[in-house]
Amino acid sequence: MKDIFLKKQILKRPDELKRHYDVVIIGGGSHGLATAYYLATHHGITNVAILEKSYIGSGAAGRNTTIIRANYRTPEGAAFYKQSVELYERLSGELDFNLMFSQHGHFTLAHSDRSLVVQQERAEVNKLLGIDSYVIDAKEVKKLCPQINISTDVTWPIQGALYHPPGGIIRHDAVVWGFAKQVTRAGIEIHQNVEVTGFDISNGRVHGVKTTKGDVSCGVVLSATAGWSSIVAKMAGVPLPIIGSILQAFVTEPVKPFLDKIIVSAQMHIYCSQTDRGEFLIGAEVEPYPTYSNKGTFPFVEYACRHVLELFPQLHATKILRHWTGLCDMSPDYSPIMGLTELDGFLVDCGWGTYGFKAAPIVGVTLAELIAKGKTPALIEPFKLDRFYTDTLVSEAAAAAVSH
Ligand code: PYC
């Protein structure tokens, strides 16, 4: 009986840290776990430790609003996220874990002529890359999402939307646990409650990691620490152009299923979806002040409710159940930063703002390839840290979230 239980266990508590690993990954979120998974499955590299200062999925991976989509504005961003969506589509089978990915479509609402032009530009970029995404008018919005209010008697009447049929929502905790299960099976160690306190650096190269459970030597370090990226990179002497802000979200009490689409409005600065439990999940813009304080605010709740009720007046008597925040590592051009740094052997995966979770599988594939082969894959070449020194930014502000 004990054996059966152990076989079913997803996570095995590893022993003490070993003295050496080929790769140390800092951060047990979806990106760190995915990178470890593809290191093992694509490259046979399993002498890997994931160091997580809290529990796996305790940061952005467990706090995001679970949206998966590829309808970005830049060719670089759209091509990258297209592959992520395709990987997510196969991931339940691959991980042997039901991730409950529901692809019912994603709307980015337009409430002005200007916004319709921006959505049309996005649709054109998407079309060129083979991403299913096109602009529809308000009547078509209503046809596809009969519950939404398209009345003109509101502050922001809907004029149309960018419609992205493959967009969807997924169970974020299941993604974390699915990767963790397969990573553990491959023999990779996940050490929870182990915090990195410094690095062993000499001659422009990182040789090891100092932690609250002792020091380890290693060939490569990957920092996949989202909201804490600047702090970790600073310990390695690598400056990052990142500002930490919080994003807030809340869920209502469960109501009968009536919304199967994801609705985003840049002008109203909100987005919402209905979870598989029936809750309405509502979020807004990143807060306009830098902070590491995970404190929610009442003005956010009031603002988001006022706006969501314009779209779904049916929710007027629905109660809020839970409200939380997450740290967002915002880069100046709203695109991620991935890959090599000026410190040999020290790689970063950061600048994910509010759009990191949806990239987890393709981040894992590409960073695992970089670590294994030492060459930056073409797909992530535009996102290297270097771009802030060479003036080759990838400006994704027009489609990065609700942030424009
Ligand atoms: O990028 O889809 C997105 C998103 C939604 C909420 C926050 N970011």
Side-chain angles (χ1 to χ4, degrees):
M1 188 64 188
K2 195 170 168 236
D3 274 359
I4 293 173
F5 178 69
L6 280 177
K7 265 190 204 141
K8 289 197 163 178
Q9 237 178 355
I10 289 176
L11 267 186
K12 175 177 160 298
R13 188 187 294 272
D15 305 324
E16 300 298 296
L17 285 170
K18 289 195 290 198
R19 296 186 63 178
H20 176 82
Y21 296 94
D22 295 334
V23 182
V24 166
I25 296 175
I26 311 173
S30 57
H31 287 204
L33 289 161
T35 305
Y37 172 72
Y38 292 108
L39 275 173
T41 54
H42 287 187
H43 306 284
I45 298 174
T46 56
N47 184 22
V48 178
I50 298 175
L51 309 181
E52 167 52 54
K53 75 169 179 172
S54 180
Y55 57 90
I56 56 168
S58 55
R63 292 163 183 272
N64 66 80
T65 46
T66 83
I67 298 170
I68 310 290
R69 65 182 173 93
N71 57 353
Y72 279 74
R73 168 67 183 79
T74 64
E76 297 89 344
F80 178 76
Y81 282 98
K82 176 177 190 276
Q83 292 206 25
S84 204
V85 171
E86 288 166 5
L87 286 165
Y88 263 123
E89 283 168 350
R90 310 196 289 269
L91 207 54
S92 287
E94 195 177 331
L95 298 180
D96 188 23
F97 209 94
N98 188 356
L99 308 177
M100 301 174 80
F101 188 15
S102 126
Q103 292 179 281
H104 284 275
H106 179 285
F107 291 86
T108 309
L109 301 179
H111 308 270
S112 65
D113 291 349
R114 176 69 199 132
S115 174
L116 273 175
V117 170
V118 172
Q119 305 317 330
Q120 191 59 54
E121 285 168 0
R122 279 172 74 178
E124 294 301 325
V125 171
N126 291 175
K127 216 181 300 170
L128 283 173
L129 289 162
I131 295 166
D132 189 6
S133 152
Y134 51 95
V135 171
I136 56 178
D137 65 18
K139 277 198 190 124
E140 285 170 282
V141 170
K142 184 76 179 167
K143 201 164 142 204
L144 288 161
C145 182
Q147 307 80 358
I148 203 164
N149 178 21
I150 60 159
S151 146
T152 50
D153 190 21
V154 291
T155 318
W156 292 277
I158 295 171
Q159 293 198 13
L162 179 68
Y163 179 45
H164 178 42
I169 49 176
I170 198 166
R171 280 297 286 268
H172 52 185
D173 43 359
V175 172
V176 168
W177 283 89
F179 276 127
K181 170 179 150 182
Q182 295 304 341
V183 159
T184 306
R185 290 211 171 150
I188 286 175
E189 296 177 6
I190 300 175
H191 292 269
Q192 302 182 96
N193 300 311
V194 176
E195 186 166 353
V196 170
T197 54
F199 295 97
D200 173 13
I201 296 169
S202 63
N203 300 324
R205 169 161 253 295
V206 65
H207 302 281
V209 175
K210 300 177 199 298
T211 84
T212 46
K213 297 273 169 70
D215 300 349
V216 294
S217 71
C218 60
V220 174
V221 176
L222 169 67
S223 169
T225 48
W228 291 272
S229 297
S230 301
I231 295 171
V232 174
K234 195 171 174 197
M235 288 193 276
V238 174
L240 292 177
I242 299 272
I243 292 179
S245 293
I246 55 167
L247 186 73
Q248 308 192 49
F250 64 83
V251 285
T252 66
E253 62 186 329
V255 292
K256 281 191 179 164
F258 78 84
L259 178 69
D260 65 357
K261 304 282 185 282
I262 299 156
I263 309 292
V264 179
S265 166
Q267 259 114 340
M268 298 167 86
H269 294 297
I270 56 156
Y271 52 89
C272 66
S273 62
Q274 189 169 19
T275 71
D276 48 44
R277 284 191 288 245
E279 304 148 330
F280 261 71
L281 199 176
I282 295 157
E285 181 59 274
V286 283
E287 296 300 333
Y289 47 88
T291 181
Y292 284 101
S293 156
N294 264 323
K295 278 209 180 102
T297 63
F298 280 117
F300 154 75
V301 175
E302 192 183 10
Y303 168 99
C305 286
R306 181 158 59 84
H307 290 193
V308 89
L309 286 174
E310 284 216 343
L311 298 174
F312 298 103
Q314 313 84 316
L315 292 175
H316 73 277
T318 314
K319 294 184 181 59
I320 291 174
L321 198 63
R322 214 168 53 249
H323 168 202
W324 69 95
T325 68
L327 290 179
C328 300
D329 43 332
M330 307 300 299
S331 75
D333 61 0
Y334 287 75
S335 282
I337 305 171
M338 278 178 276
L340 307 172
T341 66
E342 62 214 52
L343 178 64
D344 275 357
F346 183 76
L347 276 57
V348 289
D349 166 47
C350 59
W352 287 102
T354 69
Y355 23 90
F357 173 71
K358 56 181 67 48
I362 193 62
V363 165
V365 167
T366 49
L367 288 182
E369 185 181 328
L370 170 58
I371 293 168
K373 300 189 174 161
K375 187 171 176 323
T376 303
L379 201 59
I380 61 168
E381 184 71 29
F383 303 118
K384 55 194 183 195
L385 178 56
D386 228 12
R387 72 179 187 273
F388 296 101
Y389 301 99
T390 55
D391 202 14
T392 45
L393 304 188
V394 186
S395 181
E396 198 59 91
V402 281
S403 331
H404 47 289

